[in-house]
Amino acid sequence: MGILSAPASVDKREYWGFNLYDWANSGYVTTVATVLFAPYLTSVAETAACGRVGTTEDPCHTNLQVLGLGISPGSLAFYVVTVATLMSALFLPIVGAIADRSPRKKVLMCAFAWTGALAACSMVFVGGGRWELGAFLLFVGNLCLGSSMVIYDSILVDIAAPDDRDDLSSRAWAFGYLGGFILLAINLGVVTAHDALGLSQGAAVRLSLLTAGLWWGLFTFVPFVRLKNRPPVSVVATGSGSLVRQSFGQLFATLKHVRTYPMTLLFLVAYLFFNDGIQTVIAVSSTYGEKQLGFETQVLIMTILLVQFIAFFGALGFGRFARRFGAQRTIMGGLVVWMVIVIAGFLLPARQIVPFLAMGAAIGIVLGGTQALSRSAFSQLIPKGREAEYFSLYQAGERGTSWLGTLVFGLVHQITGSYRPAIVALGIFFVIGLVLLSRVDMRRGIAEAGNAQPTVI
């Protein structure tokens, strides 16, 4: 079987439809959420607050005023992600419950994707001191990304047998990193050559944000065409009424009986902690590199390109390790590496590109693999017919929607005035996640959920 060929139990048409949605949304995740928008929004907010963009030598210390509260321009983007995720805690479970009862699951997924893509395209209008528009569009984009991913993750269960989910999930993540790498490489050329193109650097950044939205929106047509809608399989009697009313009933029924699946819940809590750490490192990396270490935007994009390139192979490699050692052990090994990464980040010297690139390479090795295997492992623990609903809880800690990590990072920065203690503070999330994950009995959890046992766990 070829390295990127479809697993045995997966229809080739749906295989490519599934993979290409990771390819599509990674344009937003890399160009907008990871590299360009947080530092750009920070600069826009600094212009509004101080009348200029802050530098490492002359930072902006004037706060923005939001509902009577003083907000540091350097913490604004992270607070927006925090608010979006708190809203997700209320919104995404309802999305999941609706998706589980809907016979048009892929249509619902694509509708959220296209709304998020429109928000990303609209970021081209964020300039001057219009930080309010930027904060609103980031909120909408992240909420729509999380909503579409709730449904997308649940489709993994629909199209792959238990023994093939680690492979399919890992390959989809690999395709995502490849797509993100290609778009980011194009944007690197635009930002680097902005003078030759007759653009200011700000205009080049806004154009790159536009391309991310177009990438996400256009490539979403592939899963829309290739994935199949399936009749819902519900194990909960929720009464009559509208789809939304029935979905609330399904959600409340699941919460009422949540203690029936203790291993599923323990895995979910573990994931919430360690993925908060992962997502926060991703979200703050470009701001940390620019504002704390003094790197230019071109260096940051080149580093993320390196991460994306290595992550393509890292995701595939983790899939191979999981086939031999099991997903749980492989994830735990990855978390140990994440602990080393945040400690190294605290110690990185300013304006020294080689150590910064080395840390980027380490992130690339473990980034895709830990996330891809977490998705496939969790899918084994979900009761049949509640996939989207359970993945909606899972998405509360998924990429771009972490809240506790970004809140801690923002607060530590606001208290200390430095991003260094903020980055090392994230290590606690990996420690807690590793301890909790080590206590999950996967075989027991799969049996409790009533699912078939895979050969290797």
Side-chain angles (χ1 to χ4, degrees):
M1 183 172 62
I3 190 173
L4 293 179
S5 60
S9 69
V10 183
D11 178 83
K12 290 183 179 180
R13 183 178 177 86
E14 291 200 287
Y15 171 75
W16 288 106
F18 189 82
N19 284 339
L20 264 294
Y21 187 64
D22 245 317
W23 170 288
N25 69 62
S26 289
Y28 176 86
V29 173
T30 54
T31 293
V32 177
T34 304
V35 181
L36 291 180
F37 198 64
Y40 180 72
L41 182 60
T42 298
S43 296
V44 170
E46 288 173 341
T47 299
C50 296
R52 58 177 176 79
V53 177
T55 65
T56 53
E57 292 79 14
D58 186 20
C60 172
H61 291 302
T62 302
N63 286 340
L64 300 166
Q65 294 301 311
V66 181
L67 301 176
L69 299 175
I71 301 296
S72 167
S75 299
L76 174 65
F78 312 118
Y79 290 153
V80 172
V81 174
T82 300
V83 172
T85 307
L86 290 173
M87 180 62 71
S88 297
L90 300 174
F91 184 67
L92 296 189
I94 305 306
V95 172
I98 291 173
D100 280 335
R101 299 191 65 82
S102 173
R104 306 180 68 191
K105 187 181 288 188
K106 74 165 185 180
V107 176
L108 189 60
M109 180 192 82
C110 293
F112 280 116
W114 285 323
T115 303
L118 179 61
C121 288
S122 300
M123 290 176 180
V124 73
F125 301 112
V126 178
R130 294 191 293 273
W131 62 269
E132 299 96 336
L133 176 62
F136 173 74
L137 293 174
L138 180 61
F139 174 85
V140 172
N142 277 16
L143 192 61
C144 287
L145 175 67
S147 299
S148 69
M149 291 300 294
V150 163
I151 306 167
Y152 173 67
D153 287 344
S154 73
I155 292 173
L156 174 67
V157 180
D158 294 335
I159 66 177
D163 280 329
D164 289 327
R165 289 179 197 165
D166 288 342
D167 271 352
L168 178 57
S169 186
S170 297
R171 294 176 195 187
W173 277 98
F175 270 101
Y177 286 118
L178 182 60
F181 172 82
I182 292 172
L183 181 62
L184 203 56
I186 295 171
N187 289 332
L188 172 61
V190 172
V191 173
T192 302
H194 66 87
D195 286 332
L197 296 172
L199 300 170
S200 66
Q201 182 166 332
V205 171
R206 291 195 298 275
L207 179 61
S208 297
L209 299 174
L210 174 63
T211 65
L214 292 173
W215 182 282
W216 187 7
L218 292 175
F219 280 110
T220 295
F221 280 99
V222 179
F224 181 75
V225 171
R226 289 182 172 264
L227 291 176
K228 299 174 184 176
N229 283 315
R230 289 173 168 82
V233 179
S234 179
V235 296
V236 180
T238 56
S240 60
S242 68
L243 179 61
V244 173
R245 182 176 178 179
Q246 292 179 45
S247 300
F248 271 103
Q250 180 177 335
L251 174 61
F252 292 149
T254 298
L255 294 177
K256 181 179 179 180
H257 297 287
V258 70
R259 295 179 182 177
T260 307
Y261 312 107
M263 291 298 103
T264 305
L265 293 179
L266 183 57
F267 184 97
L268 186 61
V269 173
Y271 178 79
L272 175 64
F273 277 100
F274 72 72
N275 195 64
D276 267 352
I278 294 172
Q279 292 304 321
T280 307
V281 171
I282 296 170
V284 306
S285 58
S286 57
T287 301
Y288 187 79
E290 178 179 333
K291 300 298 181 180
Q292 185 66 54
L293 302 180
F295 292 117
E296 298 294 329
T297 300
Q298 292 89 335
V299 173
L300 300 177
I301 297 179
M302 289 176 63
T303 304
I304 297 299
L305 279 174
L306 175 67
V307 172
Q308 295 290 119
F309 180 75
I310 294 178
F312 172 76
F313 298 100
L316 295 175
F318 264 61
R320 290 181 175 271
F321 274 111
R323 286 201 298 272
R324 181 173 180 181
F325 301 107
Q328 184 180 18
R329 293 186 186 90
T330 306
I331 295 168
M332 291 171 65
L335 295 182
V336 174
V337 178
W338 277 110
M339 295 177 200
V340 175
I341 286 171
V342 293
I343 295 172
F346 174 78
L347 300 173
L348 282 180
R351 295 186 176 86
Q352 297 294 314
I353 190 169
V354 174
F356 189 63
L357 290 176
M359 188 179 76
I363 290 175
I365 291 172
V366 295
L367 177 58
T370 48
Q371 294 178 311
L373 294 181
S374 296
R375 175 170 66 184
S376 57
F378 185 66
S379 75
Q380 310 280 6
L381 301 171
I382 301 174
K384 191 68 175 175
R386 296 179 183 171
E387 290 84 6
E389 186 178 336
Y390 271 74
F391 270 117
S392 70
L393 303 177
Y394 178 89
Q395 279 294 327
E398 188 43 285
R399 58 187 181 186
T401 58
S402 300
W403 66 272
L404 187 55
T406 51
L407 178 61
V408 168
F409 189 87
L411 286 174
V412 173
H413 169 263
Q414 182 147 348
I415 293 170
T416 65
S418 172
Y419 289 115
R420 289 189 184 274
I423 196 74
V424 79
L426 301 179
I428 189 65
F429 293 95
F430 299 113
V431 173
I432 295 174
L434 178 62
V435 171
L436 293 176
L437 184 60
S438 69
R439 299 177 65 84
V440 175
D441 185 334
M442 288 292 295
R443 291 204 177 274
R444 175 188 163 189
I446 293 169
E448 289 173 347
N451 295 324
Q453 295 278 350
T455 305
V456 180
I457 297 179

